[in-house]
Amino acid sequence: TATGTDAASVGGSASKIAASYAMDNGLTLSASVQDEDGTAEDDNTLGLSYAMGDITVGYTTIRPGSAGSFGDEWDFSVAYAAGAVGASFATDETDATTFIFDYALGGGASAFAAMHDKAGTNDDLTAIGLNFAF
């Protein structure tokens, strides 16, 4: 994929190129390059995910800005999906963690519970609810 903008409302010029390749053995490789004028958000990423039946494990290493190195930032996730149940856990280098549990009720409805905790901040979130798709 390739995306770009020059809209002043989003901070000026920005572009991103991303690619992924899914192999027959459940492994998916991905990479991206992002450039935003005048910001420190120029991230390059290398990632992989591996699906093992009902479980998928993912890891992305991130090179932040022009002075950073790969591994300075990273994301790790584990997801489980079987039948009506879906659950996931994600964390990163800042100890921000997210847990999500979802249960399909049928007829386009699902119940969910989610928790996000970012260590050392008051930006925590807990939510319980229902989703409806018509």
Side-chain angles (χ1 to χ4, degrees):
T1 61
T3 57
T5 184
D6 63 357
S9 63
V10 295
S13 297
S15 60
K16 183 175 184 177
I17 297 172
S20 66
Y21 180 74
M23 298 181 190
D24 291 336
N25 61 0
L27 182 66
T28 299
L29 304 174
S30 61
S32 69
V33 176
Q34 177 176 303
D35 178 38
E36 293 186 28
D37 288 348
T39 72
E41 296 296 320
D42 298 339
D43 293 340
N44 299 317
T45 67
L46 296 172
L48 61 89
S49 66
Y50 184 63
M52 303 167 282
D54 297 337
I55 298 174
T56 301
V57 177
Y59 179 80
T60 300
T61 181
I62 303 164
R63 178 181 171 260
S66 59
S69 299
F70 277 106
D72 286 352
E73 296 179 7
W74 52 268
D75 298 323
F76 172 79
S77 63
V78 177
Y80 172 82
V85 175
S88 65
F89 166 79
T91 190
D92 66 13
E93 78 284 348
T94 66
D95 292 331
T97 56
T98 303
F99 296 95
I100 299 173
F101 177 81
D102 189 80
Y103 185 80
L105 301 170
S110 66
F112 71 90
M115 184 203 75
H116 178 75
D117 177 44
K118 186 164 184 175
T121 71
N122 292 326
D123 296 335
D124 301 339
L125 168 74
T126 301
I128 297 172
L130 297 172
N131 285 319
F132 296 95
F134 299 99

